[in-house]
Amino acid sequence: MKSDRLTVPCVRRRKVADGAEPLVMVTAYDFPTAKIADESGADILLVGDSLAMVVLGHEDTLSVTVDDIAYHTRAVARAQPSALVVADMPWLSYHVSPEETVINAAKLIRAGATAVKLEGGLRRLRMLEALADADIPVMGHIGLTPQSINMLGGFKVQCKTEEAAEALLATAQTLEKAGCFSLVLEGVPASVAARVTEATNTPTIGIGAGPGCDGQVLVFHDVLGMQDNLSPKFVRRYASLKDEAVSALRQFGEDVRSGEFPAPGESYMC
Ligand code: KIV
């Protein structure tokens, strides 16, 4: 492991209420995205199962496997980032038994991740205990959990009622007791995320969860505008790389067709 890499205990201490800087997490799926995200100074690189949608073109995250995430984690790890590398456990890799959960998580650690992330709350407690027992650090993920899309009926904001907000709070506290070193809060009202953040000593990292979290995460391709499909309102685009890429490649095509490329200075002479 790189000696200056951000560690799990350092992340665990990053509560904004205690004066810490907010955590910055961004997804990365391969060597160049890891290099770029790491050079930007992100604290955590998440090899997210969102790769199913933004890299592989699927409609949801359910089709990726442990082997897919391990393959992409190896590429991210080769960038030797200073950021902490967290690998997403895909759907069905931590649902069957604690034993299978540990074996699958170990594949991701051996691929180069320092920690794994898994979605869901109380129903995953046995798995969380088994991972803690195997010394595998876990980031929790609650609220809108995309792997439950078929049960939720779509990507919808969760915990809009007081009862659901209370349940989320209780779940966060249980995950904290089970040893999660951080918690992703996705797709919940800002006031609910702020309450969870206040009620736990574990840093929360929001996505579509408002400003009251201990950090924020966005998908690499969304931040950089690498696709032009409609993005949810919580996404802020900082660049339009898809437009730039298309116009650069169009120019390349025009230069080839007109004989403008390659110029003498771009050719070898004998
Ligand atoms: O897979 C992913 O990109 C994620 C983040 C959106 C938190 O889980």
Side-chain angles (χ1 to χ4, degrees):
M1 197 208 288
K2 225 178 153 196
S3 60
D4 62 345
R5 181 172 287 182
L6 189 66
T7 64
V8 164
C10 286
V11 171
R12 196 193 288 277
R13 287 195 292 270
R14 292 278 288 269
K15 286 297 283 185
V16 168
D18 297 337
E21 257 203 335
L23 286 161
V24 178
M25 180 158 90
V26 66
T27 61
Y29 309 104
D30 54 21
F31 185 82
T33 56
K35 278 277 183 208
I36 292 167
D38 195 50
E39 271 185 41
S40 78
D43 297 302
I44 306 174
L45 305 188
L46 172 66
V47 187
D49 62 356
S50 51
L51 80 87
M53 299 166 81
V54 298
V55 177
L56 304 176
H58 294 288
E59 281 193 353
D60 55 44
T61 59
L62 302 181
S63 48
V64 288
T65 63
V66 174
D67 287 342
D68 293 330
I69 301 277
Y71 175 87
H72 286 270
T73 299
R74 275 193 289 277
V76 166
R78 264 177 230 128
Q80 301 202 333
S82 299
L84 182 75
V85 176
V86 178
D88 236 346
M89 295 201 67
W91 177 60
L92 231 51
S93 69
Y94 56 96
H95 301 70
V96 177
S97 70
E99 291 76 15
E100 243 185 64
T101 302
V102 171
I103 288 166
N104 286 329
K107 283 187 188 160
L108 303 181
I109 300 296
R110 288 195 170 130
T114 298
V116 297
K117 173 168 85 58
L118 59 83
E119 297 181 6
L122 307 181
R123 283 183 299 162
R124 305 290 157 238
L125 256 189
R126 283 185 316 135
M127 321 307 185
L128 290 171
E129 281 160 9
L131 290 168
D133 213 36
D135 287 330
I136 297 177
V138 180
M139 175 182 280
H141 182 160
I142 53 177
L144 169 53
T145 47
Q147 291 173 14
S148 318
I149 184 177
N150 291 330
M151 292 294 267
L152 300 176
F155 295 104
K156 295 177 180 161
V157 176
Q158 301 295 302
C159 305
K160 285 177 154 176
T161 64
E162 179 53 26
E163 200 186 353
E166 285 290 336
L168 188 77
L169 208 75
T171 301
Q173 286 168 335
T174 306
L175 293 188
E176 177 173 25
K177 276 202 202 101
C180 288
F181 72 94
S182 54
L183 291 176
V184 169
L185 301 180
E186 177 165 358
V188 296
S191 57
V192 174
R195 272 168 70 187
V196 172
T197 302
E198 212 183 309
T200 52
N201 291 317
T202 304
T204 59
I205 303 176
I207 176 160
C213 299
D214 297 302
Q216 298 291 329
V217 52
L218 281 177
V219 165
F220 187 94
H221 292 56
D222 288 341
V223 179
L224 296 178
M226 290 178 72
Q227 47 199 6
D228 52 11
N229 51 347
L230 276 184
S231 50
K233 88 177 212 178
F234 60 79
V235 168
R236 187 181 293 180
R237 275 192 187 167
Y238 288 84
S240 302
L241 292 197
K242 186 190 169 206
D243 294 346
E244 270 197 52
V246 170
S247 93
L249 289 170
R250 187 172 289 136
Q251 187 62 53
F252 170 60
E254 279 172 20
D255 289 353
V256 169
R257 289 181 195 113
S258 69
E260 188 69 24
F261 177 86
E266 290 157 334
S267 309
Y268 294 108
M269 308 296 170
C270 47

